[in-house]
Amino acid sequence: MHTFDFYNPVGIHFGENSISKLTHELEKFGPNVLLTYGGGSIKRNGIYQAVLDSLKAARKNVFELSGIMANPRTEKVYEGIRMCRDHAIDFILAVGGGSVIDCSKFIAVGAKLDGDFWETLLIKQESMGEALPLGVVLTLAATGSEMNATCVITHWQKHLKLAYEHDLLYPKFSILDPIYTYSVSKSQMVFGCVDILSHIFEVYFSAPDTSNVSDDIAEALMKNVMENLAVALNNPRDYTARSNIMWASSMALNGLLGLGKEQDWMGHQIEHALSAFYDVPHGAGLAVVHPVYLKYICQKVPKKFVRYAQHIWHLDRSGKTEEAIALESVEKTRAYFKSIGAPITLQEVGIPAEAINEMAATVHPFPTSYAHLTQEDVKHILQQCLE
Ligand code: NZQ
Ligand code: ZN
């Protein structure tokens, strides 16, 4: 294990009817609440009413920012910042998946910033001083945003999707009721699970590769997600499966898994270009890109992929070189994504070959444990995503 520091202050209320804890949580904050949500799923599945009841019981003045789109865009952040200033907002309550939570985190910091949030935080990468407090009611298991301090936003005109992280952006609390995810469509559930697996890959496939508890936890999480996705695809209302997937999403990106590891994140870096140009759902883009990226690095560290092949896919090693078994494990991963209904080629997510150069030009590769890609490598990886 490498040296590490760890901090995660997010209070979690997990389980059926954990919304009953919301009123008490809200009482800790000021009277004016900005309630943020997406395109309307929470009105159809009853979550909106349950949240409003809690807000009413806590005697809050509620202002609503609705219509936060998947792959949230800067425009929605500006709208939220204006509302915070106009209504002297004390607290933001984000009800949704990663897009609603991320957009709300940017609003929380943007409302307290003198300058423009995009220029200050994402382009100049200056630090921030304060943020409005934020709480979460999670409705989709995928990103881990409910338990981390990261947020991702798209500037559509510039076709850039960029991430920001700051300790002040940890939610004060997150309410995780697995029943709230029953209404998530099968495709979104699949994309969510691909995202969870991808977060695990980004950590697992990095140094150190000697015995470490993080890699062991990563393998347990991978198996758990695959097993429970199979159950939930068959029966979307299986509480055990949905609860496992929900906690796995938080576990995969709440910081714990990466402790003592270098981590990679090139799979995510490349995927962000797909979403920034073609508005591809994040998990769908990862299903296309990540196995191809793993294929690129697997020959550099075949031993690690042999471990993956044996522990996750139970592949037979006899008579095969390490390189061959490493490659087979990556092919298994891609075939698995296809088998659960995820797209695995650029065509399937509506991206033509001609777009590759433009997308690759916005990816800035950084050195990772196993490789230091050039932009030519990124182009090459994207070309391999065509087949
Ligand atoms: O908008 P509504 O109507 O609510 O519909 C949403 C949306 O269309 C729907 N949905 C959510 N909960 C539902 C539901 N439908 C029925 N029943 C429910 N209970 O699902 C659709 C997708 O929602 P979205 O929030 O976009 O999905 P996800 O949670 O996958 O978030 C994706 C965003 O998070 C970013 C991604 O890049 C992307 O922008 N990420 C954030 C990270 C972080 N903050 O740490 C890390 C990730 O790697 C990722 O980059
Ligand atoms: Zn992700």
Side-chain angles (χ1 to χ4, degrees):
M1 300 282 289
H2 286 352
T3 305
F4 64 82
D5 302 300
F6 182 60
Y7 171 74
N8 188 319
V10 182
I12 296 291
H13 299 293
F14 185 93
E16 183 171 358
N17 199 33
S18 43
I19 194 78
S20 62
K21 312 284 173 55
L22 181 56
T23 301
H24 176 64
E25 285 290 359
L26 290 168
E27 282 164 353
K28 301 173 190 168
F29 303 96
N32 297 338
V33 174
L34 182 69
L35 170 63
T36 57
Y37 55 96
S41 70
I42 65 164
K43 292 202 169 161
R44 292 187 291 277
N45 57 23
I47 298 172
Y48 175 78
Q49 194 52 52
V51 168
L52 275 195
D53 291 347
S54 303
L55 283 160
K56 197 172 166 201
R59 299 168 192 279
K60 299 296 175 185
N61 307 316
V62 182
F63 303 87
E64 295 189 20
L65 175 69
S66 63
I68 296 176
M69 62 296 270
N71 291 329
R73 298 183 186 179
T74 48
E75 292 87 310
K76 216 63 198 169
V77 177
Y78 292 122
E79 193 181 334
I81 291 173
R82 274 195 303 276
M83 288 185 74
C84 288
R85 290 179 181 158
D86 290 352
H87 303 293
I89 293 295
D90 299 300
F91 186 77
I92 302 177
L93 182 61
V95 183
S99 295
V100 171
I101 305 169
D102 285 8
C103 184
S104 304
K105 286 177 180 173
F106 277 111
I107 294 169
V109 45
K112 293 284 186 182
L113 207 62
D114 285 335
D116 175 78
F117 90 93
W118 175 266
E119 281 299 317
T120 310
L121 305 176
L122 295 160
I123 303 303
K124 294 185 192 150
Q125 305 207 331
E126 287 176 7
S127 192
M128 53 182 265
E130 52 180 333
L132 284 170
L134 164 117
V136 169
V137 177
L138 186 66
T139 67
L140 171 58
T143 65
S145 186
E146 67 278 5
M147 206 177 167
N148 68 38
T150 302
C151 38
V152 189
I153 195 82
T154 300
H155 194 303
W156 186 248
Q157 290 75 19
K158 296 187 197 297
H159 290 303
L160 286 176
K161 183 171 189 179
L162 301 178
Y164 183 73
E165 186 176 10
H166 195 287
D167 278 357
L168 286 171
L169 296 178
Y170 280 109
K172 299 295 176 201
F173 62 82
S174 282
I175 293 190
L176 276 57
D177 183 340
I179 291 176
Y180 282 11
T181 65
Y182 283 0
S183 56
V184 173
S185 68
K186 283 193 179 176
S187 58
Q188 284 295 343
M189 178 173 31
V190 164
F191 300 158
C193 286
V194 171
D195 193 22
I196 299 169
L197 289 169
S198 174
H199 296 157
I200 303 169
F201 294 158
E202 299 281 19
V203 172
Y204 181 77
F205 293 113
S206 75
D209 295 311
T210 46
S211 170
N212 69 80
V213 71
S214 295
D215 281 351
D216 291 344
I217 299 173
E219 288 175 357
L221 277 175
M222 285 184 231
K223 288 183 208 164
N224 188 284
V225 171
M226 292 186 209
E227 278 165 22
N228 286 290
L229 175 62
V231 176
L233 280 172
N234 197 37
N235 176 15
R237 302 175 78 84
D238 187 299
Y239 183 82
T240 304
R242 289 291 203 174
S243 59
N244 275 303
I245 293 170
M246 192 170 220
W247 186 232
S249 84
S250 305
M251 280 291 291
L253 204 53
N254 65 6
L256 270 177
L257 196 61
L259 300 180
K261 298 280 296 182
E262 287 180 8
Q263 311 193 31
D264 190 304
W265 300 103
M266 272 314 301
H268 268 66
Q269 189 81 352
I270 299 172
E271 191 291 314
H272 283 173
L274 273 56
S275 297
F277 277 85
Y278 286 87
D279 203 17
V280 175
H282 177 59
L286 288 168
V288 174
V289 164
H290 213 149
V292 178
Y293 174 62
L294 294 181
K295 185 175 174 190
Y296 185 85
I297 57 174
C298 77
Q299 299 303 322
K300 299 179 196 291
V301 274
K303 265 195 173 45
K304 185 57 177 280
F305 282 80
V306 169
R307 173 182 166 158
Y308 171 66
Q310 293 189 306
H311 291 193
I312 302 301
W313 300 110
H314 311 292
L315 296 181
D316 180 13
R317 269 196 75 170
S318 48
K320 297 173 194 159
T321 61
E322 284 187 340
E323 287 72 17
I325 195 97
L327 203 55
E328 203 179 328
S329 73
V330 174
E331 280 159 4
K332 270 273 179 196
T333 310
R334 204 167 188 224
Y336 169 72
F337 285 165
K338 190 178 165 71
S339 75
I340 56 175
I344 57 163
T345 63
L346 287 178
Q347 285 95 327
E348 286 172 87
V349 291
I351 302 182
E354 302 76 62
I356 287 177
N357 287 353
E358 199 179 26
M359 289 193 303
T362 64
V363 178
H364 300 290
F366 41 77
T368 70
S369 303
Y370 298 162
H372 187 179
L373 302 187
T374 62
Q375 281 197 332
E376 278 307 306
D377 296 323
V378 174
K379 267 188 219 169
H380 187 62
I381 287 167
L382 288 172
Q383 273 150 5
Q384 289 188 316
C385 294
L386 288 169
E387 297 136 30

